């Protein structure tokens, strides 16, 4: 029988009425692929493959009940027809021109969505070449300090809400990977952050200026890059204070997606691991940016942390206590957005006998990222409308989408894709007053 929702306070989530405005710093390959894809789905040209919110189902109750609605029919999400878009970029190309240069989508598809994409023109970006050394462009904001730049972004947010008629807003970072920054005193409190912004402190990267502006306007923020951005105490506090949910970081797309599928399987079967060598070749703007050692270090930290957290070497020293894990990323322009990830995995089994697995993943980074962007903006908007979620800050239940999931201080991140999936769906069940699913199943045999 369906659960009595009245006992659990379900139904408190505000309805998804009116338009949802999506604001995107960085109108490159990922952003244009996402927006073009949404428009293609709206026009009936294609399907939203890879999007859990659009195509996924969720089991409710016992297996014998046969209740598995689509997620979009179960939780109150914004509809695709209600989405409106804006963005910021250092280049002046509208989304149609930017998508053409990104080279992800076929020209025939782009032509069908050209009228819509051409209307989305970039606002002047907050940009500093010190943080992304391989890029430069003319469409950049000017201000005497970083706080003034944040105020300009806040003006943009208010202007977009008014001009688009959006009822609610979400901001999602689709910009480049910034150079590596460690958390410092400037990041500890909201007051310290604001002081550092007024002082033009080098520890305040452009992505933090966008995030600060969004949170001060009460707008949820998702971080799709491995940048520090909102993963600092000051942003956690501001997120709670303004009831603007945050999540991140770094979209889980190609090689890391494969790692979070394979590694839990090795651990589940107690198969040992000696080494995992990963190399990538890619030729898009992301690859060019990652040529810079500072930006590469930010990405490397994100990619390397996955195995350690999944395999828990402190619990299984004999199996995982001495792993050699190496990640390489190489910029190779002929490949464009079609990345190739090679993995050599040295495993060992019964009595220590060695075995190997080779993976060659010819993936399309932006094709894998676009549905994640869609899900994240819809689910962050859901969190903002939910009394149970909007004031807690970090939305750890969205870990499923990220390489380096954010967590509360002192809590290790959960990287296992299958645990993340269960966490995601159980949170939805919880919000809607349905019972958690544990997969125990003994009741079928009583």
């Amino acid at each position: 029988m369906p659960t009595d929702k009245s006992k659990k306070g379900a139904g408190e989530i505000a309805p998804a009425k009116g338009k949802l405005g999506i604001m995107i710093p960085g109108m490159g390959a990922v952003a244009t692929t996402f927006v073009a894809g949404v428009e293609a789905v709206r026009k009936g040209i294609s399907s939203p493959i890879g999007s859990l919110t659009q195509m996924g189902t969720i089991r409710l109750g016992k297996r014998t009940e046969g209740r598995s609605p689509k997620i979009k029919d179960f939780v109150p999400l914004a509809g695709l027809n209600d989405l409106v878009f804006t963005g910021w970029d250092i280049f002046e190309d509208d989304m149609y021109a930017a998508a053409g240069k990104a080279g992800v989508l076929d020209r025939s598809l782009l032509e069908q969505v050209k009228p819509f994409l051409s209307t989305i023109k970039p606002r002047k970006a907050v940009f500093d070449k010190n943080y992304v050394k391989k890029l430069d462009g003319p469409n950049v904001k000017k201000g005497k300090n970083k706080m003034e730049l944040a105020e300009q972004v806040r003006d943009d947010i208010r202007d977009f809400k008014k001009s688009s008629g959006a009822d609610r807003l979400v901001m999602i970072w689709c910009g480049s990977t910034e150079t590596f920054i460690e958390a410092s005193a400037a990041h500890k409190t909201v007051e310290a952050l604001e002081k550092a912004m007024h002082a033009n402190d080098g520890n305040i990267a452009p992505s933090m200026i966008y995030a600060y502006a969004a949170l001060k306007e009460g707008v949820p923020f998702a971080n799709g890059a491995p940048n520090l951005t909102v993963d600092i105490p000051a942003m956690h506090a501001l997120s709670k204070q303004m009831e603007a949910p945050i999540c991140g970081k770094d979209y889980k797309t190609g090689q890391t997606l494969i790692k979070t599928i394979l590694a839990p399987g090795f651990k589940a079967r107690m198969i040992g691991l000696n080494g995992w060598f990963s190399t990538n070749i890619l030729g898009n703007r992301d690859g060019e940016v990652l040529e810079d050692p500072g930006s590469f270090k930010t990405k490397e930290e994100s990619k390397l942390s996955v195995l350690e957290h999944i395999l828990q070497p402190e619990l299984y020293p004999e199996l995982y206590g001495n792993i050699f894990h190496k990640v390489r990323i190489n910029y190779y322009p002929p490949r464009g957005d079609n990345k190739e990830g090679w993995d050599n995995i040295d495993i060992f089994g019964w009595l220590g006998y060695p075995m190997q697995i080779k993976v060659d993943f010819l993936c399309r980074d932006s094709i894998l990222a676009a549905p994640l962007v869609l899900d994240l903006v819809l689910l962050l908007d859901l969190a903002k409308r939910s009394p149970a979620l909007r004031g807690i800050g970090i939305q750890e239940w969205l870990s499923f989408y990220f390489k380096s999931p954010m967590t509360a201080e002192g809590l290790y991140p959960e990287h296992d894709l299958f645990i993340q999936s269960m966490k995601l769906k159980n949170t939805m069940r919880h919000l809607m007053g349905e019972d958690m699913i544990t997969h125990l199943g003994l009741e079928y045999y009583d």
Side-chain angles (χ1 to χ4, degrees):
M1 290 292 291
T3 308
D4 179 4
K5 296 182 185 180
S6 62
K7 294 178 185 172
K8 300 196 177 183
E12 294 172 356
I13 301 169
K17 282 182 182 169
K19 295 178 184 174
L20 174 62
I22 313 301
M23 301 181 293
I24 311 173
M27 283 174 35
V30 171
T32 55
T33 304
F34 157 60
V35 177
V38 168
E39 181 65 1
V41 173
R42 294 197 289 208
K43 289 172 78 78
I45 297 166
S46 196
S47 299
I49 294 166
S51 167
L52 212 66
T53 61
Q54 302 306 300
M55 302 194 82
T57 62
I58 182 165
R59 191 190 114 199
L60 306 176
K62 294 181 180 179
R63 278 183 273 167
T64 49
E65 291 177 32
R67 290 194 297 145
S68 292
K70 284 256 182 93
I71 286 170
K72 65 180 182 179
D73 297 329
F74 175 60
V75 288
L77 299 177
L80 296 192
N81 289 326
D82 295 329
L83 303 187
V84 288
F85 304 92
T86 194
W88 295 263
D89 204 278
I90 62 172
F91 301 109
E92 294 170 333
D93 298 327
D94 63 46
M95 274 214 171
Y96 170 72
K101 288 180 181 176
V104 179
L105 301 172
D106 293 339
R107 184 59 64 180
S108 60
L109 175 65
L110 281 180
E111 290 305 316
Q112 293 179 79
V113 294
K114 179 180 178 179
F116 179 71
L117 289 186
S118 300
T119 65
I120 306 170
K121 297 176 171 58
R123 297 167 187 269
K124 287 191 174 180
V126 176
F127 181 75
D128 185 332
K129 201 167 165 53
N130 290 314
Y131 299 89
V132 184
K133 292 187 168 58
K134 294 285 182 176
L135 292 185
D136 210 354
N139 200 37
V140 176
K141 292 186 188 298
K142 290 181 171 58
K144 66 184 180 200
N145 59 44
K146 294 177 179 182
M147 182 57 84
E148 194 172 282
L149 293 172
E151 291 300 332
Q152 291 179 37
V153 175
R154 292 181 71 177
D155 287 342
D156 286 346
I157 292 170
R158 295 186 203 112
D159 173 72
F160 172 60
K161 187 168 188 186
K162 188 176 177 184
S163 63
S164 68
D167 291 73
R168 307 175 316 284
L169 302 170
V170 173
M171 189 182 292
I172 187 158
W173 178 269
C174 291
S176 297
T177 298
E178 295 171 331
T179 197
F180 185 70
I181 295 175
E182 289 191 280
S184 68
H187 305 133
K188 284 222 168 115
T189 65
V190 177
E191 294 71 29
L193 184 76
E194 291 173 340
K195 186 178 175 185
M197 289 169 72
H198 280 291
N200 274 331
D201 192 314
N203 288 301
I204 309 301
S207 63
M208 294 177 179
I209 295 171
Y210 282 104
Y212 173 83
L215 297 182
K216 286 293 279 187
E217 292 295 316
V219 174
F221 185 95
N223 179 19
N227 315 327
L228 197 57
T229 314
V230 285
D231 204 3
I232 52 174
M235 296 291 190
H236 299 174
L238 193 58
S239 168
K240 290 179 180 175
Q241 180 187 321
M242 301 305 296
E243 293 195 328
I246 53 175
C247 62
K249 48 195 195 262
D250 204 5
Y251 303 126
K252 182 166 20 197
T253 50
Q255 194 170 62
T256 309
L257 175 63
I258 297 299
K259 277 186 182 168
T260 60
I261 292 170
L262 292 177
F266 299 153
K267 189 172 85 169
R269 288 288 300 269
M270 291 287 105
I271 292 170
L273 180 66
N274 282 321
W276 198 313
F277 187 92
S278 299
T279 192
N280 301 266
I281 56 172
L282 69 163
N284 57 12
R285 196 179 292 167
D286 195 27
E288 185 180 2
V289 166
L290 294 173
E291 282 275 272
D292 171 58
S295 292
F296 172 70
K297 182 167 174 56
T298 308
K299 176 68 81 169
E300 183 183 36
E301 294 278 323
S302 168
K303 288 169 85 76
L304 283 175
S305 64
V306 171
L307 287 185
E308 185 180 336
H309 286 296
I310 290 176
L311 297 173
Q312 298 175 292
E314 70 284 358
L315 297 182
Y316 307 103
E318 191 176 353
L319 297 174
Y320 311 119
N322 194 29
I323 299 168
F324 187 85
H325 186 196
K326 179 69 78 176
V327 174
R328 286 277 175 265
I329 300 174
N330 303 291
Y331 179 48
Y332 180 61
R335 194 51 59 96
D337 197 66
N338 297 345
K339 185 171 81 175
E340 184 162 2
W342 297 304
D343 287 275
N344 174 80
I345 311 161
D346 285 285
I347 61 175
F348 58 93
W350 184 247
L351 308 180
Y353 277 75
M355 296 173 277
Q356 285 189 358
I357 297 173
K358 312 280 189 185
V359 179
D360 185 11
F361 189 16
L362 295 142
C363 68
R364 294 170 178 258
D365 247 13
S366 299
I367 294 296
L368 290 168
L372 306 190
V373 177
L374 175 58
D375 285 359
L376 284 165
V377 296
L378 296 182
L379 295 173
L380 268 186
D381 174 53
L382 174 71
K384 172 73 177 176
R385 288 181 282 112
S386 166
L389 297 177
R390 64 173 168 245
I392 65 171
I394 297 164
Q395 305 294 311
E396 197 196 332
W397 63 291
L398 299 177
S399 295
F400 179 80
Y401 296 102
F402 296 109
K403 287 190 185 80
S404 298
M406 288 168 58
T407 63
E409 193 175 352
L411 197 62
Y412 71 82
E414 188 53 76
H415 279 280
D416 182 319
L417 185 76
F418 305 98
I419 294 174
Q420 291 174 337
S421 173
M422 191 179 293
K423 183 191 289 280
L424 182 75
K425 290 189 174 183
N426 268 339
T427 303
M428 293 179 193
R429 292 180 185 110
H430 171 71
L431 288 178
M432 302 307 292
E434 290 282 347
D435 289 332
M436 302 296 100
I437 289 187
T438 64
H439 299 286
L440 180 64
L442 288 179
E443 67 274 18
Y444 302 115
Y445 300 92
D446 285 344

